[in-house]
Amino acid sequence: MAEISWCGPGFGGRMAQHIAEKLRITAALLGAVSRKDLAAAFRRANPETSFDLGRADKWLQGRSQPRQLSVYEDWARVLDLNRPGAWVAQSDLDGFAEAICERHGIDRSELERRMGAQISSPHLVDQGTDATLSGSYACYSKALSPYYRGQLIRSTVSMKMDTRTHGMSATYTEALPTGSFVMTGAVTLAKRGLYIHLREAGGDAQFFLSLFLPSPPGSVLAGYMCGTTIIGPEPLPSAARIILIRLPSSATPPDGWGGYFQPSESLVEDLRALGIGLDGDGRSLDRELWQFLDEDGSAGPCQVSEASFRSIVGVFDRHWLRHQA
């Protein structure tokens, strides 16, 4: 089907609105953990649907919107609404959520609980980001120090809303042999990624984290951390992959947790000590996590493929949803 303009005849001269937020509401209703789950729901409604993973990423990030009326018609079928696709595109958030709740017999509060956000235009994204990101994370990355080559460094990150700036702030902590190393800084959510710029408390060291955009429920974040070595003869400019795994709200790392981590040790067992008891074959997941963190970009630039990250997201999102429900 040919593309139509925002104000084309398929929309009666009106514009589509709140598409990213409506997709998140739809995912919460369906229990869709990943973009693949959401795409599968559209394919069940119409095997020839124009809803695909590549474009869905941009739609969920608010970077673009579907320009084919058929996508909205399929969307109405996914939701089992007796309404045209143009209504799905044009409705406001409150009306969209009300229609879904009425059709499927679900309380609005339950739908919001699944999303981790209130449905209130135009602040859904901000509130959802707060709920998705706020909390404590156990972090793993390759050790930057030449004295610990081949090992991981375990750290913690906590994120919360800063009442002074009305933005999010982060505190990063490493338990080093030389003592506790703490950095703090601002969290920036942009269209292309999540960025954290950290500065040493009482010092001049800086780290910068470039991460994939988060998606509810926000069980895991990943990307790259760059900075200079803290322990070593020279402050070497460095970069390494990092994975941040969200801890249950009641969990705190035990005394002595953190520091360097040997390749022979199990990440899955380490996470169990933090209250994250993952199901399935622990050895297989260990291999996947170590492989994810060990990639060095020797065949090209240091980049994380979306496929390798999404497979990890699926594991931790499903665990989070089962145990937070």
Side-chain angles (χ1 to χ4, degrees):
M1 179 179 288
E3 289 188 344
I4 60 175
S5 66
W6 295 123
C7 297
F11 292 105
R14 295 176 59 191
M15 293 180 68
Q17 61 176 340
H18 308 304
I19 299 306
E21 295 88 341
K22 289 174 182 174
L23 282 172
R24 294 189 185 101
I25 292 172
T26 302
L29 173 73
L30 301 176
V33 172
S34 68
R35 289 162 173 78
K36 288 185 178 180
D37 295 334
L38 197 56
F42 273 75
R43 286 196 301 272
R44 286 193 295 271
N46 177 11
E48 304 300 322
T49 185
S50 295
F51 186 104
D52 65 70
L53 284 175
R55 286 185 287 184
D57 277 336
K58 295 180 181 179
W59 298 339
L60 281 159
Q61 294 164 16
R63 293 162 54 191
S64 67
Q65 301 187 62
R67 296 179 66 86
Q68 294 175 290
L69 181 58
S70 64
V71 173
Y72 299 99
E73 297 289 359
D74 293 343
W75 197 343
R77 295 186 188 100
V78 167
L79 295 171
D80 194 22
L81 294 174
N82 187 25
R83 295 172 183 264
W87 179 88
V88 174
Q90 298 163 353
S91 58
D92 60 34
L93 281 180
D94 284 336
F96 183 79
E98 182 179 348
I100 287 175
C101 290
E102 180 178 350
R103 175 67 185 88
H104 295 278
I106 182 174
D107 289 336
R108 183 173 174 135
S109 59
E110 169 60 18
L111 190 60
E112 291 175 337
R113 185 195 68 79
R114 295 182 190 180
M115 295 177 61
Q118 293 182 358
I119 302 169
S120 178
S121 174
H123 303 297
L124 176 62
V125 174
D126 291 338
Q127 292 171 343
T129 298
D130 182 11
T132 299
L133 292 178
S134 291
S136 297
Y137 299 78
C139 309
Y140 300 86
S141 60
K142 293 175 73 173
L144 303 183
S145 171
Y147 299 144
Y148 296 93
R149 190 73 68 202
Q151 297 185 37
L152 299 182
I153 180 72
R154 297 179 296 182
S155 56
T156 58
V157 164
S158 62
M159 285 190 260
K160 64 181 180 179
M161 290 300 296
D162 189 324
T163 56
R164 295 172 300 137
T165 65
H166 301 289
M168 295 206 76
S169 64
T171 300
Y172 174 91
T173 306
E174 288 183 358
L176 299 176
T178 54
S180 182
F181 176 68
V182 180
M183 309 181 87
T184 59
V187 178
T188 301
L189 183 67
K191 286 187 176 181
R192 293 184 177 273
L194 176 68
Y195 309 109
I196 307 176
H197 190 178
L198 299 162
R199 298 174 184 269
E200 182 184 8
D204 61 1
Q206 299 184 37
F207 281 178
F208 180 76
L209 276 63
S210 176
L211 309 171
F212 277 103
L213 283 166
S215 58
S219 66
V220 60
L221 302 170
Y224 276 93
M225 177 174 69
C226 64
T228 56
T229 52
I230 303 303
I231 297 180
E234 299 291 342
L236 303 173
S238 309
R241 289 190 178 188
I242 185 170
I243 185 166
L244 299 79
I245 300 166
R246 192 176 185 184
L247 296 174
S249 56
S250 59
T252 56
D255 291 342
W257 189 89
Y260 293 100
F261 195 76
Q262 295 283 357
S264 58
E265 297 181 86
S266 167
L267 287 166
V268 173
E269 290 302 320
D270 201 50
L271 290 169
R272 285 197 176 114
L274 299 176
I276 303 175
L278 296 163
D279 301 327
D281 184 357
R283 290 174 297 179
S284 175
L285 181 57
D286 261 330
R287 285 193 298 270
E288 185 174 6
L289 292 172
W290 274 101
Q291 182 177 0
F292 178 88
L293 292 168
D294 197 45
E295 176 62 43
D296 60 6
S298 58
C302 293
Q303 292 176 330
V304 184
S305 73
E306 184 174 5
S308 65
F309 175 53
R310 292 301 169 196
S311 66
I312 292 173
V313 170
V315 171
F316 286 97
D317 273 2
R318 286 182 172 85
H319 176 272
W320 180 270
L321 291 169
R322 280 197 303 271
H323 293 274
Q324 294 298 311

